[in-house]
Amino acid sequence: MRRWHAEHHRSERAGWLRAAVLGANDGIVSIAGLVVGVAASGAGQDSVLMSGIAGMVAGAMSMAAGEYVSVQSQADTEHADLAKEKRELVEDPESELFELTGIYVRRGLQPELARQVAEQLTAHDALGSHARDELGITDTLRARPVQAALASAAAFTIGSLLPLAAVLLSPPARIEAITIAATLAGLGVSGALAAWAGGAAVARGAGRVVFWGALAMAAASLIGRLFHVSL
């Protein structure tokens, strides 16, 4: 007899991983673009640093609020669907059983077996069975607004520390160049880690993040040079 063994799948971390990766990359790119643009305009090191810190605080709050509202909307939809399903199970259980049976038939079970499975699952947990097999709602993938918001804000803050550190540690005349180099390196690492954690190709994941980060900083630098005003 085979022993039961625990399995861990990458989809189990899809919710928080998405928010964390998005937050970290946005923190790196947004603050790097901001400080590069301000530095390119001719601003001094103190002004560049303060602009970056202000951007970090505002960005982290914005990411948290945006992620919370987005995921809460998903949670509201899930709750509404579950409430509707719960009501239908009370009002017309036979139709719901027929519906569940049809789902299992379409997945490949014989009608008799599908009916038997539907009856047993309904007896065990009717709402949970319909949530999972009809609505596609599972505990693993349920919307968790607070978790997503905190992960996004924390990741944004952590990501933004890289370009801020580059500004703080750079010679005033080299802020732009060093920030760009540090940011591209950081994006490569974050993109590779995100791809690895999600089971994707590491080189491809790193490459696409670096590409878009470089494009963002190039645009910010161009804008800064067009409005070159020493502060």
Side-chain angles (χ1 to χ4, degrees):
M1 179 181 294
R2 291 184 176 180
R3 292 183 177 180
W4 177 87
H5 65 285
E7 292 186 351
H8 300 283
H9 299 281
R10 289 182 170 89
S11 61
E12 295 174 358
R13 51 195 173 194
W16 65 263
L17 179 61
R18 171 189 169 277
V21 170
L22 178 63
N25 287 340
D26 198 21
I28 295 173
V29 175
S30 296
I31 304 307
L34 176 62
V35 300
V36 165
V38 174
S41 74
Q45 188 174 29
D46 290 344
S47 297
V48 174
L49 184 60
M50 289 307 301
S51 297
I53 293 173
M56 177 186 70
V57 175
M61 296 300 295
S62 176
M63 287 293 292
E67 194 70 22
Y68 181 85
V69 170
S70 175
V71 179
Q72 184 61 55
S73 297
Q74 179 186 342
D76 291 341
T77 301
E78 291 177 354
H79 293 155
D81 284 342
L82 289 173
K84 180 176 181 291
E85 200 65 34
K86 187 175 182 179
R87 184 174 62 252
E88 291 174 347
L89 284 167
V90 173
E91 295 174 351
D92 194 359
E94 185 59 34
S95 294
E96 292 300 303
L97 182 61
F98 180 80
E99 186 176 33
L100 199 59
T101 301
I103 292 172
Y104 298 142
V105 170
R106 290 191 294 273
R107 290 182 180 178
L109 295 183
Q110 294 296 322
E112 296 80 6
L113 180 57
R115 175 77 179 194
Q116 183 180 5
V117 171
E119 289 175 346
Q120 292 187 14
L121 289 177
T122 298
H124 174 69
D125 182 6
L127 183 60
S129 299
H130 282 270
R132 179 183 62 251
D133 296 321
E134 181 184 349
L135 304 176
I137 299 174
T138 65
D139 288 338
T140 299
L141 300 178
R142 285 287 294 272
R144 294 179 173 84
V146 174
Q147 182 190 67
L150 291 177
S152 184
F156 184 96
T157 302
I158 292 171
S160 66
L161 292 177
L162 175 63
L164 289 179
V167 172
L168 187 62
L169 299 175
S170 299
R174 302 287 305 279
I175 289 177
E176 186 178 355
I178 292 177
T179 300
I180 290 174
T183 298
L184 292 180
L187 287 174
V189 172
S190 71
L193 288 175
W196 172 79
V202 172
R204 183 183 302 173
R208 61 193 175 199
V209 175
V210 168
F211 171 79
W212 289 108
L215 193 63
M217 286 186 291
S221 179
L222 177 61
I223 295 298
R225 293 179 192 284
L226 287 175
F227 296 94
H228 184 85
V229 179
S230 297
L231 300 179

